Amino acid sequence: MNFLLIYTILLACGFSTLQADQAKELAKRVRAHVLIEDYRSACLEGRRAIKKYPQSKELIESYIYATAKAGDEQEMFQAWKYYCGLCEEPHKNREVLEVMGWSIIDKGSKSASPLVRIMALLGAYFGQDARGVRIIHRSLRDYDAMVRDVALQVSSSLRDDRLKKEVLDILRSEQSWPVRMSAIRTIGKMKVKEALPDLMRMLEGPRSVYEVRMAALQAIAEIEDDVSREKLVMLASSPKIGFRQLACQLCVAFQRESDIDVVIPLIKDSNSDVRAAALYAIGMIRPLDYNGKPISDLITPALTDTNEVVAITASWLMTLYDRDQGYRNFSKWLRNPNKNTRIFASSALKATGHYGQPFLYEAFSSAKDPYVRMNLALALITQRSHVEEASDALHHHVINADERLMWRELLHFKAIAPSTIKHNPSVPHLPEATDQMVRLEVFNALAIVKDAQALEAIRKFLEERNWGITAAASAMLLMEGDDNSIALVEQLLEDPNPKIRIQSALMLALWGEGEKAAAVLQESYAEADRNLKERILEGLGQIRTKETIPFLTDKLGEQHPTLRIIAAAALLKAMYN
């Protein structure tokens, strides 16, 4: 049906009150068919009615609603364009825009392609609406493990009872390892108390996988509202390794200094994981003494533990109580022949904060390993100590690093390390996205201390690399830009190099910043390839400004389904801002 032709022919025709009333009745009939889910009849009746009354805005609105419910995107968009010719401000009609956006997302969620279903799933999540929850709930039962994995991750920030029940069912029955791990983490974030017995069983087995045990420990700590001393004593004296670790975790979670005596004996536990957890708990609570003895006396035997994780954790803890003795033990670990050991030691020393001064600088100056230098440089910048030298090291090692980077976490210590992240179909470009986020955090650190080289470093980075963070990656890896970083990147919106302009706009969009960035992205869209168009639409969705609504609505008519879905999600976010 050619709406534009009809509109051209009949534009001059009068539209009497009688005709208006008749058109309104027909519009009600169309809506009635939609109400009983007879979408085919709604569309047929709508088409006949529009031929008779082509100037009725209400009738066109009903027809858009019918085609949207029927999933006829092409007809829906043609009707929308015709509607734009009848109205002065069509983009202010929230109901019409909503129904079009949700129609595209809902249809995408039923696509035969798992990747299209994932994009629709993310669109449903960003829509923050009951309609989106229904799509997420359906996605949790998807036959594809990749879709279920993403559905779990987006469910973690929601508190819907139906989603909680479904996630609990997945925890109990899922066979896919990545999906099961996501279910454990999601259960904790959603605080599903009914899952506590299942999580406790994951801690019981002597051969329980380390990753499962640690995820279960974290989930339990998130779910529990409080813990009694009796329960801590029971857990700490349990023959099960996971229960003893949980005692340490709960003591930290609730800052139970009065119960630290329950944890302290565990620094001599037969299991190295428990010993390390106990040492970490003591450091987080920082008791002054134990039974009248200095804490440092209790730590000393652990400094020579046969397990290096325990010994390094003990070095971290000793530094909080006795700087000289702690650093003497750190020195050998920072020179260890094993690269991973050196990186872990640097992350632990970094975590000592001001207690590690002035040894941080001494270790930084003498280190040969670039990863040790990177981590200690970040520690120095955080402490505002030897900022110029630390900034130079970060420029040299981080910004110019050829290999991908990642944050490695062990026992809550965090370090920049060589990336070991593998491709994950549920998060396109995850290794690249993770690498870029590490570098972005470094830019933040440099910008905060007003490093003179920060602007040129960012410019060089954007010129040489593609800021290809997808919606899935940005949803999980999103961080906020510091004001200093934002100000630096905004300067690059005026750069003569078009690649720099668009990359900087995408970076600002990731932070949800700036109408100027939105303008750059919209101007760049027409000449972009499909992959970049996806990034631009995602970026506009992050910015969430109503000024982008006309642009995004126009992109609902794109040929490729992923572009339509991303545009629909961005449109909903802009409307709901």
Side-chain angles (χ1 to χ4, degrees):
M1 179 175 182
N2 193 327
F3 283 100
L4 297 179
L5 178 60
I6 293 174
Y7 178 65
T8 302
I9 295 172
L10 300 174
L11 183 62
C13 296
F15 196 50
S16 66
T17 302
L18 177 61
Q19 289 173 317
D21 290 342
Q22 292 172 337
K24 185 177 292 186
E25 285 302 313
L26 290 172
K28 288 181 180 178
R29 285 177 59 84
V30 172
R31 295 266 186 167
H33 283 299
V34 171
L35 189 63
I36 63 172
E37 299 183 0
D38 184 2
Y39 304 136
R40 182 174 180 275
S41 297
C43 293
L44 287 172
E45 186 137 1
R47 280 194 288 270
R48 286 197 296 265
I50 290 169
K51 286 180 180 179
K52 191 173 182 180
Y53 301 113
Q55 291 177 284
S56 171
K57 297 176 186 176
E58 189 170 0
L59 192 53
I60 300 296
E61 289 174 7
S62 296
Y63 185 64
I64 292 173
Y65 197 82
T67 52
K69 289 294 184 180
D72 191 343
E73 294 179 45
Q74 186 175 1
E75 186 74 359
M76 177 190 74
F77 193 70
Q78 287 295 322
W80 163 255
K81 289 198 292 185
Y82 177 61
Y83 180 74
C84 289
L86 293 176
C87 302
E88 289 185 6
E89 296 181 314
H91 296 96
K92 289 189 175 181
N93 192 325
R94 186 185 181 95
E95 181 186 0
V96 170
L97 294 178
E98 277 189 352
V99 75
M100 289 197 300
W102 280 113
S103 170
I104 290 170
I105 290 171
D106 186 62
K107 185 175 180 180
S109 72
K110 300 169 185 175
S111 168
S113 166
L115 287 176
V116 173
R117 295 202 301 278
I118 286 174
M119 296 307 300
L121 171 58
L122 291 167
Y125 169 72
F126 289 129
Q128 296 291 305
D129 187 273
R131 286 166 286 195
V133 172
R134 287 195 293 271
I135 292 172
I136 294 169
H137 184 265
R138 186 168 68 233
S139 299
L140 287 169
R141 300 180 177 181
D142 197 279
Y143 65 83
D144 190 280
M146 177 172 63
V147 179
R148 296 197 302 276
D149 194 352
V150 176
L152 283 165
Q153 293 177 58
V154 300
S155 297
S156 64
S157 61
L158 304 173
R159 295 291 184 268
D160 184 86
D161 288 340
R162 290 173 301 168
L163 295 181
K164 287 183 178 181
K165 182 179 183 302
E166 195 64 40
V167 172
L168 184 58
D169 288 344
I170 291 174
L171 179 74
R172 291 169 174 170
S173 61
E174 182 60 53
Q175 299 300 310
S176 167
W177 167 264
V179 178
R180 185 169 171 77
M181 288 298 294
S182 290
I184 296 170
R185 289 188 285 266
T186 299
I187 282 286
K189 292 175 182 176
M190 296 179 86
K191 297 185 179 297
V192 183
K193 289 185 178 294
E194 294 82 355
L196 282 172
D198 301 272
L199 295 170
M200 293 294 284
R201 281 193 290 272
M202 293 178 189
L203 304 179
E204 291 181 1
R207 295 185 178 181
S208 59
V209 178
Y210 178 81
E211 289 84 355
V212 171
R213 193 165 74 241
M214 295 307 293
L217 286 169
Q218 181 63 34
I220 293 168
E222 290 176 319
I223 293 170
E224 292 280 21
D225 295 323
D226 198 2
V227 60
S228 65
R229 179 177 175 85
E230 291 73 18
K231 185 171 184 178
L232 280 176
V233 170
M234 182 271 292
L235 291 170
S237 58
S238 170
K240 296 178 173 58
I241 294 168
F243 286 9
R244 301 199 298 276
Q245 279 184 280
L246 180 59
C248 301
Q249 187 106 351
L250 292 175
C251 208
V252 172
F254 299 110
Q255 287 294 293
R256 297 290 287 270
E257 184 173 357
S258 60
D259 296 317
I260 194 65
D261 61 303
V262 176
V263 171
I264 285 178
L266 295 179
I267 62 177
K268 297 180 180 180
D269 195 90
S270 60
N271 181 271
S272 60
D273 290 341
V274 177
R275 296 198 298 275
L279 290 165
Y280 181 76
I282 295 167
M284 295 304 293
I285 295 173
R286 294 291 314 284
L288 295 176
D289 54 37
Y290 177 65
N291 288 341
K293 295 182 179 180
I295 295 295
S296 56
D297 289 355
L298 302 174
I299 305 168
T300 300
L303 293 171
T304 55
D305 196 284
T306 54
N307 181 279
E308 63 183 34
V309 173
V310 175
I312 292 172
T313 304
S315 299
W316 163 78
L317 179 56
M318 181 62 81
T319 305
L320 306 185
Y321 287 95
D322 185 331
R323 298 183 184 188
D324 292 336
Q325 190 176 358
Y327 182 65
R328 281 198 300 273
N329 284 275
F330 260 124
S331 296
K332 66 177 180 180
W333 295 116
L334 292 169
R335 297 191 302 269
N336 191 279
N338 185 283
K339 186 182 192 72
N340 288 329
T341 301
R342 296 195 301 270
I343 291 174
F344 177 52
S346 70
S347 70
L349 179 56
K350 178 164 69 78
T352 62
H354 69 274
Y355 294 99
Q357 294 284 17
F359 304 121
L360 277 172
Y361 179 67
E362 182 180 326
F364 165 77
S365 301
S366 60
K368 304 299 182 185
D369 187 313
Y371 288 95
V372 172
R373 286 179 61 78
M374 284 186 244
N375 289 301
L376 297 183
L378 282 174
L380 289 170
I381 285 177
T382 301
Q383 298 299 320
R384 299 298 190 274
S385 173
H386 300 85
V387 169
E388 187 173 347
E389 289 181 65
S391 297
D392 287 343
L394 288 175
H395 279 286
H396 180 71
H397 295 299
V398 177
I399 296 170
N400 297 318
D402 292 327
E403 60 186 335
R404 289 186 186 132
L405 307 175
M406 61 175 276
W407 287 111
R408 179 179 296 163
E409 292 189 30
L410 182 60
L411 202 68
H412 310 289
F413 299 138
K414 179 179 173 181
I416 297 177
S419 179
T420 57
I421 296 175
K422 305 298 183 184
H423 174 68
N424 183 347
S426 66
V427 189
H429 310 297
L430 181 59
E432 296 88 348
T434 304
D435 171 75
Q436 290 173 0
M437 295 303 288
V438 172
R439 296 170 195 271
L440 187 54
E441 288 193 53
V442 172
F443 293 149
N444 255 346
L446 294 173
I448 289 169
V449 294
K450 303 187 185 305
D451 178 65
Q453 303 177 74
L455 178 62
E456 185 55 33
I458 294 173
R459 188 184 186 284
K460 181 181 178 183
F461 176 69
L462 295 181
E463 186 174 25
E464 294 179 352
R465 298 170 186 266
N466 287 318
W467 192 251
I469 296 183
T470 65
S474 64
M476 290 187 291
L477 302 174
L478 190 61
M479 58 172 286
E480 292 186 2
D482 177 86
D483 288 344
N484 297 288
S485 301
I486 292 168
L488 281 178
V489 177
E490 281 181 338
Q491 294 180 46
L492 297 174
L493 292 175
E494 307 294 334
D495 196 276
N497 185 329
K499 182 177 181 180
I500 299 294
R501 289 198 302 273
I502 191 168
Q503 299 281 60
S504 58
L506 287 170
M507 185 185 289
L508 288 168
L510 185 65
W511 293 329
E513 291 289 333
E515 293 182 9
K516 288 182 180 179
V520 170
L521 294 176
Q522 290 177 85
E523 291 167 5
S524 306
Y525 188 87
E527 301 299 323
D529 60 25
R530 185 168 66 82
N531 183 61
L532 184 54
K533 283 181 177 178
E534 290 181 0
R535 304 292 83 74
I536 289 172
L537 293 173
E538 290 165 6
L540 292 173
Q542 295 290 354
I543 294 173
R544 301 188 186 203
T545 173
K546 288 181 169 55
E547 281 68 27
T548 62
I549 288 177
F551 177 87
L552 293 169
T553 306
D554 184 60
K555 303 313 167 199
L556 298 181
E558 283 282 7
Q559 291 295 313
H560 201 278
T562 59
L563 292 177
R564 296 197 299 273
I565 291 169
I566 299 170
L571 174 64
L572 294 172
K573 291 169 76 175
M575 290 170 57
Y576 296 157
N577 183 32

